[in-house]
Amino acid sequence: MTAEQWLILLSGIVGGALRVGVPFLFVSLGECLTEKGGRINLGLEGVLVLSAMAAFGASYLSGSAWVGVLAAAVVGALLATLHGLLCSLPRVNDIATGIALMLLGMGLAFYLGKPLIQPQAAQLPAIPLGFWSDSPAVRSALQINPLLPVGIALAGGLWWAFAHTRAGLLVRLAGDSANAARALGYSVPGIRIAATAAGGAIAGLGGASLTLFYPGSWNEGISSGQGLIAVALVIFARWHPLRCVGAALLFGGAGAIGPALQSVGIGWGYHLFNTVPYLLTLLILVITCRPGQVVPGSPTELSSNR
């Protein structure tokens, strides 16, 4: 390949990581917050899909993409709150409830979103990071989602809150020792419901990025399992919000390899390269999740809520 083709390939992978990684970032941050409180939410796949549909529908009806972003956060918070409330009941399993909520969210999205498959909705404006290049391919590859800076700021805010704020310390306390939280007079179910709802709102922003930026349309297969992959991302990041940024960009870059190769005329193995994020997920789970061993950094209460 020529030097220009190498530049286009590299720009495609970097730009793809910044685009494709945004939904991973928001969903992993939402799951990180939820699990820090001692609860697992496998229903975030349903949250992601339903929020994506809500964002597209609200943007289509209002004509404003930012109204769609707000709608996605609200819908994500509502579905996650339902998960938190159900898991607060006696003898209710987090994982089983999460799977049920995932199916509920996806079913609602597919049913309510059927009229939205054809229409076009207002899209979020791109941030042009390729202005320095004369190559149209490079400029096109480096069109960045405006929600990406929001996600990075959220990651920094969560990291700071967990270490320096009362609310963050309470979430960590509920996730590490429910008995200690109760002994201090705090409501563990209340803390976990709040953390789960906030995590759902954050994950909902990932849904908005799918339908309002990339790929920028609504269809029933839009998430491709990104909500479930986020659980592996959180394990890979060791429940650290800032590491979630790097993990999301890694998975985004892995998903961008195939399209980047196509942009320079290499079409062989396209579908094979599309499996890289899923292979990474399996690899992370095999390496980090071993029977009888606790993953370093994991909230202690997670093992008792499965």
Side-chain angles (χ1 to χ4, degrees):
M1 291 195 301
T2 65
E4 183 179 357
Q5 286 178 315
W6 277 110
L7 178 60
I8 292 172
L9 177 62
L10 180 61
S11 299
I13 294 176
V14 172
L18 296 175
R19 283 193 303 272
V20 180
V22 172
F24 286 120
L25 174 58
F26 282 111
V27 181
S28 63
L29 288 176
E31 181 66 7
C32 180
L33 175 56
T34 301
E35 292 191 12
K36 276 286 191 179
R39 176 149 292 148
I40 300 173
N41 187 1
L42 293 184
L44 285 182
E45 174 72 9
V47 170
L48 184 69
V49 176
L50 186 59
S51 297
M53 184 279 299
F56 192 85
S59 177
Y60 172 68
L61 294 174
S62 69
S64 170
W66 295 107
V67 172
V69 172
L70 178 62
V74 171
V75 168
L78 289 175
L79 189 58
T81 300
L82 178 59
H83 175 72
L85 290 171
L86 291 175
C87 290
S88 297
L89 299 175
R91 295 183 297 278
V92 174
N93 182 271
D94 283 16
I95 294 177
T97 305
I99 293 173
L101 264 293
M102 176 181 69
L103 297 176
L104 173 64
M106 295 176 68
L108 285 175
F110 296 165
Y111 177 74
L112 298 174
K114 286 189 179 298
L116 301 174
I117 293 177
Q118 294 298 329
Q120 294 297 313
Q123 298 289 295
L124 292 168
I127 300 175
L129 290 188
F131 60 87
W132 49 270
S133 175
D134 294 329
S135 170
V138 173
R139 290 199 299 268
S140 175
L142 296 178
Q143 296 286 315
I144 304 305
N145 191 332
L147 291 178
L148 176 61
V150 177
I152 294 174
L154 269 174
L158 284 174
W159 168 78
W160 182 82
F162 286 145
H164 300 289
T165 68
R166 182 185 183 87
L169 293 174
L170 286 177
V171 170
R172 289 173 54 194
L173 181 62
D176 287 331
S177 178
N179 290 331
R182 293 189 191 98
L184 292 173
Y186 295 107
S187 170
V188 174
I191 294 172
R192 289 178 176 170
I193 290 171
T196 304
I202 295 172
L205 298 178
S209 70
L210 285 174
T211 51
L212 301 182
F213 189 80
Y214 180 82
S217 61
W218 161 249
N219 63 77
E220 295 181 354
I222 196 166
S223 74
S224 303
Q226 293 181 34
L228 292 173
I229 291 176
V231 178
L233 277 178
V234 174
I235 298 173
F236 180 60
R238 293 295 189 266
W239 292 268
H240 194 293
L242 294 181
R243 291 176 186 163
C244 286
V245 178
L249 294 180
L250 174 64
F251 272 69
I257 292 175
L261 288 172
Q262 276 198 325
S263 68
V264 294
I266 301 176
W268 60 266
Y270 175 78
H271 296 292
L272 180 63
F273 282 109
N274 285 343
T275 65
V276 173
Y278 307 101
L279 293 176
L280 273 177
T281 302
L282 290 174
L283 181 62
I284 288 171
L285 291 177
V286 168
I287 292 175
T288 60
C289 299
R290 299 178 181 178
Q293 293 185 0
V294 177
V295 181
S298 63
T300 307
E301 291 290 326
L302 287 182
S303 60
S304 63
N305 289 323
R306 296 175 181 176

